[in-house]
Amino acid sequence: MEVGGLPVELWQLILSYLCLPDLGRCTLVCRAWYELILSLDKTRWRQLCLGCLKHRHPNWPNKPGVEPWSWREAFKQHYLASKTWTKNTQDLESSNCLSLFRRRKGQRRLCVGAGGEFGSLRAALAAASPYDRIVLLPGVHEEQGEVLLKVPVEVVGQGKLGDVALLASIDQHCPTARLCNMVFMPARFTSVLYKTTSGYVQFDNCNFESGQLQIHAPGTCQVKFCTFRQSSIHLRSVALCVLENCEFTGSENASVTVEGCPSSDRNWACKHLAVLAKSCAASMQEPDAAGCPVAKQDGWGESLLGPVRTCEIVVGEEQSSFLSAAGAQALLGSAQEDIEFRENLPAVKEEESALDSNSSDSDSHSDDEEDAQAAYKLPYQAHSLSHTLADVTHSRLQSNRLHALQRDLKLKSLQQELQQDKEAQSLANSLQGCIIRQCLFRDGKGGIFIYSRGQAKLEESIFRDLTYAVRCIQNSKVIMLRNDIHHCKASGIFLRLSAGGLIADNNIHSNCEAGVDIRKGANPLVLCNKIHSGLRSGIVVVGNGKGIIRSNQIYGNKEAGIYILYNGNPAVSGNHIFQGLAAGIAVNENGRGQITGNIICENQWGGADIRHGGDPVLRNNLISCGYSDGVVVGERGKGLIEGNTIYGNKGCGVWMMSSSLPHLINNQISHNSIYGVAVFCCKDNTGDYPPSQGGSESFQEEREGAGGENDPDSEEEYPAARHPISVALVELNSINHNGAAGLHIKSSEALNIIANVIHANRDGGVAVLQSSQLTRIADNSISCNSRGGVLIEAECQVELRGNGIYDNSSHGIISKGEGVIAENDIIGNHRCGLQLLQAADMKVTKNRIQSFRDYGIALFDEAKGLVQENLIFQGRSKKSILRPMSNAEDCVIQNNMLLAFKKRFDMECMLINPPARPHIEGGAPGSCMADGGQMVSSITTRVDGGCHNHGSIFCTIL
């Protein structure tokens, strides 16, 4: 009959009454009938699949409510399971006579139990021929001694699962066997339910109660749709085995133990299992963003200097963003103000105490004051750091830089990672050891334990409410893809003793300890995971642990997103670490690590927190929008902090203790709510981590073995160009548009501040409030700050040399302390160029000083020292250019040159030879060019007694 003779819906109704053999025959009629049979997938095929007592739901146990992509294909796999266990037996190497074991049309069916032919399984096995089917009738079947399985047979329980219980210990000595639809319980004399040392065994739709399966190489197994209650599987040196759609509950130890290196001695079934594993492997595809609590949008959208950038995050059922609405508006408003800041620089509004009353120039600005100031303004812009200054004064350049940074740090997918990393690709495609797919491990002590060079591959499984999910030690290897690991009482994944492998695209959350714990030489690849909502840290790297941690989303953890200590030395790159309740990345107790190219934002504590000997390389990260400081370098912290963008944090950009020794170089530190860089000498107890950060897993072993002499690789990954420093060093940074002073210093140790651009901060440029040892401030550009350029309080020791201090809204330099002010350009500031107050004792030599409205140099109170060989340009004021008001007898003022300009051309020639400071070796092209095109030799100022032993640092860096 032609298909077109009836409506399709009617055909489907008619065909839905056919049995399985008739459906098979109909597919052979023609293509139209074949397509009709396929169209019955959600009706007749679904009915056949769910109606068989020996078959479970295809997505059991993890997703029993989710329909498979094809019910017909699921039914086909169930049906073929009873056929494929005999496949390839002709390839057995033992004897040609085994070809007799092939299935025969007259396969016998032997019944055991009440009303059957045999009273016991042992008797049926004695009478069975190869590949016979032994059917256990409903009831309890108990064997008193160990049962030997010497011929290939199929043992099947009749009825629904649970009707047949077998109390026995079976030892397989045949090449292959299949057991289906039974409940296995241990015999009185042993807990071993089943073991094989050479053959292949297949378990389908079975329950295992309070016992153990033992599979030893060259034996192997396939276990599908089985339940293990307080039971486990022990695999020893197995070349390849497959566990699919199984449920493990209530284990007292590990549910699956994998011991020993996969054997090279493979039996006939390994080839079959490899084909099966490849055919069933889920394709590596992008996860559905709507189905998991992760970022729906990895891009960052627009820059903060344009439309507010947001990255929507779904955590649980709520939607939030990296930048809250109120915070975004505040930052946007701040950014818009900064765009106009340079054009409309506000005058200092507060009273300047008695000092201002002493100044005779207290009149308000006249209407034409800006024009008059322009006439007296010296051209200082062409100094060696002018190219950096140009970037921070143009909002469009800042916006473009943030756009480029966000684009470069976009989170990579697992597909992209595997394409670029051949090692990861090889691990993801490997098929060795134990393959565990779509299983459920719950309510027990352990999930998977791999040791002594064992190997396991875990895919799309769920681990929940366990003590630990996976424990991998002793040079073993674990490959974990697309698993869900949560609510473990300890760490989710634990690797130690040189373990390795690939942990990729997993959802690891809500664990009581770390999501991933890496210790004692373990060196895994951790890629593209979601690690979140942990009660402690997301990832812990301890005790010489290593690893590559890349392209993960780590968020919402109660402690640090990544915590590195006791010589832990991972490579951390390309991750998004956000919304943590503590630090983004914490490096403590001599921890190290290469931390590069990460986005670290909206964490409650510092974006990066370095303390107690922590010595990482923190490079090219975006650290933004934190609720505290961007980078914290606490007591005895060290490290190279280079090339980072530290932006929009509610605390300081960088917070340092004076007892620390960081090297802070070439960072963009801007738009933070308090100081750009703050240095304090007080002990930071309030910021310390709890002493038990590591949780119940004690760090005592790592603490005892943390010395550098115990780690032969302690220096292997440090950059060759990195030299140890003996004084904290802040150099080549751009510190701009912060809410308070650019640099705030209360230090009890020496400090070097070299070649930074400190621009347009909401308070002064540099404030030195305490400095019991020498603070060197050299070759910096300090400009356009809302108050003074540099403030030095009483009893502070400071050396100011080679700086350009320009156009600040109050005085250029105010000093109440002691030290040296030499070879600086102090030009265009709105009040005095230099004020010496109280008991200041400074040596002021060879500076070029100009003030528009006030005195070039003013001395008050008991200020003393030496003021000589300075070049002082007259501003608009017609009063004395130099105003000595001090009563101190030992204040020497001599050999200073005072200049008044008659023509505009005279002013333009004043900052030519030498050119405007600062002078930096390798500065911007053209920075040392005279107006007439003649090259002027650059004068490079070095700090005497600096922290580098072999010449200028700028030769090395630039």
Side-chain angles (χ1 to χ4, degrees), residues 827-856:
I827 305 295
N829 300 286
H830 291 200
R831 303 297 298 270
C832 292
L834 169 64
Q835 274 195 353
L836 303 183
L837 308 175
Q838 297 178 7
D841 185 2
M842 306 295 293
K843 180 180 180 182
V844 183
T845 62
K846 298 181 180 179
N847 300 282
R848 295 185 293 196
I849 304 173
Q850 185 244 9
S851 174
F852 172 61
R853 297 182 59 236
D854 215 320
Y855 297 95

Side-chain angles (χ1 to χ4, degrees), residues 760-817:
N761 297 286
R762 295 292 181 182
D763 204 314
V766 179
V768 185
L769 306 184
Q770 178 179 335
S771 178
S772 55
Q773 296 193 40
L774 185 62
T775 296
R776 293 186 173 92
I777 305 173
D779 298 320
N780 301 279
S781 172
I782 305 171
S783 64
C784 300
N785 297 286
S786 293
R787 294 191 180 181
V790 180
L791 169 64
I792 304 169
E793 285 291 349
E795 300 181 359
C796 293
Q797 301 182 45
V798 177
E799 178 180 340
L800 277 163
R801 189 182 297 271
N803 302 282
I805 303 172
Y806 304 116
D807 208 12
N808 297 285
S809 295
S810 185
H811 306 288
I813 300 174
I814 298 178
S815 177
K816 305 173 187 176

Side-chain angles (χ1 to χ4, degrees), residues 569-762:
N569 191 17
V572 181
S573 64
N575 303 281
H576 288 186
I577 305 169
F578 57 96
Q579 294 179 351
L581 301 182
I585 297 178
V587 187
N588 210 331
E589 302 296 346
N590 300 310
R592 296 180 290 162
Q594 306 285 326
I595 302 168
T596 60
N598 302 280
I599 291 178
I600 306 171
C601 64
E602 275 200 352
N603 295 287
Q604 294 289 336
W605 294 5
D609 194 299
I610 306 166
R611 304 170 191 258
H612 301 138
D615 190 11
V617 174
L618 189 69
R619 180 181 287 129
N620 298 336
N621 302 281
L622 173 60
I623 304 173
S624 66
C625 303
Y627 294 101
S628 183
D629 307 310
V631 176
V632 173
V633 187
E635 185 179 5
R636 295 186 291 108
K638 296 185 285 186
L640 174 64
I641 303 169
E642 178 182 11
N644 302 282
T645 297
I646 305 171
Y647 189 95
N649 298 285
K650 291 189 176 180
C652 304
V654 178
W655 189 98
M656 298 163 46
M657 279 195 68
S658 61
S659 61
S660 63
L661 284 176
H663 185 179
L664 194 68
I665 177 171
N666 199 30
N667 300 280
Q668 299 287 334
I669 305 171
S670 64
H671 297 88
N672 300 287
S673 296
I674 311 181
Y675 308 112
V677 177
V679 184
F680 291 94
C681 58
C682 59
K683 185 172 177 58
D684 57 331
N685 286 331
T686 56
D688 279 341
Y689 283 104
S692 60
Q693 169 97 21
S696 61
E697 294 284 352
S698 173
F699 289 148
Q700 183 62 35
E701 297 178 28
E702 286 75 11
R703 186 179 296 113
E704 292 172 355
E709 67 274 8
N710 296 328
D711 181 14
D713 301 325
S714 59
E715 301 296 331
E716 65 179 2
E717 295 186 30
Y718 272 57
R722 183 180 174 191
H723 300 295
I725 61 174
S726 57
V727 177
L729 178 60
V730 180
E731 64 174 336
L732 288 173
N733 301 283
S734 174
I735 305 171
N736 64 88
H737 298 93
N738 296 288
L743 275 90
H744 179 89
I745 301 167
K746 295 180 70 175
S747 175
S748 58
E749 304 290 338
L751 176 66
N752 290 335
I753 302 169
I754 313 293
N756 301 280
V757 170
I758 304 167
H759 176 80
N761 297 286
R762 295 292 181 182

Side-chain angles (χ1 to χ4, degrees), residues 38 171-172 343 438 468 523 596 795 804 889 940:
L38 293 185
D171 188 357
Q172 178 181 334
E343 300 173 1
Q438 295 178 344
Y468 65 87
N523 190 19
T596 60
E795 300 181 359
E889 297 179 358
T940 301

Side-chain angles (χ1 to χ4, degrees), residues 106-129:
Q107 179 190 37
R108 292 194 302 166
R109 184 174 184 269
L110 309 180
C111 295
V112 178
E117 307 167 36
F118 301 93
S120 67
L121 175 61
R122 191 188 306 272
L125 289 174
S129 299

Side-chain angles (χ1 to χ4, degrees), residues 872-951:
I872 303 173
F873 304 116
Q874 178 180 330
R876 186 186 180 201
S877 173
K878 302 301 182 183
K879 302 169 185 176
S880 301
I881 298 175
L882 182 64
R883 186 180 183 185
M885 298 180 64
S886 172
N887 297 322
E889 297 179 358
D890 50 356
C891 180
V892 178
I893 304 173
Q894 64 184 17
N895 299 330
N896 298 285
M897 183 180 296
L898 313 180
L899 294 181
F901 297 109
K902 300 296 184 181
K903 299 179 181 179
R904 174 78 175 176
F905 176 78
D906 296 337
M907 294 170 50
E908 294 177 352
C909 295
M910 287 303 99
L911 295 184
I912 291 178
N913 192 9
R917 296 181 175 98
H919 304 154
I920 310 297
E921 293 182 10
S927 61
C928 300
M929 294 294 293
D931 287 348
Q934 180 180 2
M935 179 67 71
V936 179
S937 60
S938 173
I939 300 176
T940 301
T941 305
R942 295 183 182 174
V943 179
D944 297 333
C947 61
H948 296 280
N949 299 326
H950 305 291

